[in-house]
Amino acid sequence: MSRASQARPPRGSTEIDGYFDSLIARVPDPAHPNGSTAATSSSLGAVHLAQLSTDLSVSVDDVVMYVLAWKLDAKVPMTISKEEWSYGLYNMRIHTLADLRAALPALRADVAAPPQFKAFYYFLFDWTRESAMARIIPNDVALVMWPLAFSSLRTPWAHFGDWMTYIETVYRKPVSRDLWRQTLEYTLVNPLAEDPNGAWPSAMDDFAEWLRKGKPTPVPPPSATAAPKGGSA
């Protein structure tokens, strides 16, 4: 929901706004000099979100933490601004930390529906980038985010485990936004039945070929510390 279409929170600090301020004040932020509390900060960073998850009695890696950021329309990667927090929670009729904790099951259920899941899935890539200018996410980040995202699907993707193995051991490169988004569409097809000359990104074509060949174990890349042939190190 865009900010323009949201109702404006009433003036004055509500209980949930007070929690936001106290979270920043009591949790040192390594991103600031000397690990200061950054009391004048207007955003929650990764260290604050970890504490928020603790206060909500969920894991920081629980998908609901990412669903919450999506619902708040968070724009900056791994950050929630004071305005996003105040507007978002007010329009969700959440006024206390207890209200937010009680809303978590509904947040999980909401993202499971296909239209909402697609929007959330697209958001997840953008919010977990290293910066707002980044066009890729590292391979290891994708390997964490894909299982987290697909854990919300009501119908599992039959080739999900194979895809993870392929991305980690064969593909081994950063994941672009296009590959991330196309992967969601790819879950709707049978890769073994696809036309090898189709319009999928090359990663999908290579994945299908890898499946047809029986999922061979790739040859590890040469070690950077290996001694050259014919001589000693």
Side-chain angles (χ1 to χ4, degrees), residues 75-92:
K75 300 299 187 187
V76 177
M78 299 308 296
T79 301
I80 297 174
S81 72
K82 179 65 175 290
E83 182 180 22
E84 290 164 350
W85 177 271
S86 296
Y87 271 77
L89 294 181
Y90 178 74
N91 281 272
M92 291 164 65

Side-chain angles (χ1 to χ4, degrees), residues 59-133:
S59 168
V60 69
D61 298 320
D62 192 314
V63 67
V64 78
M65 293 296 296
Y66 296 84
V67 176
L68 174 62
W70 170 60
K71 283 291 192 179
L72 296 180
D73 198 26
K75 300 299 187 187
V76 177
M78 299 308 296
T79 301
I80 297 174
S81 72
K82 179 65 175 290
E83 182 180 22
E84 290 164 350
W85 177 271
S86 296
Y87 271 77
L89 294 181
Y90 178 74
N91 281 272
M92 291 164 65
R93 294 182 172 83
I94 292 174
H95 307 296
T96 69
L97 189 65
D99 290 344
L100 180 53
R101 190 180 294 112
L104 297 184
L107 292 178
R108 285 195 183 91
D110 185 46
V111 79
Q116 288 86 343
F117 178 79
K118 183 175 182 178
F120 168 67
Y121 179 82
Y122 281 16
F123 164 85
L124 198 56
F125 178 93
D126 290 335
W127 201 62
T128 55
R129 292 174 296 167
E130 293 180 347
S131 73
M133 300 298 292

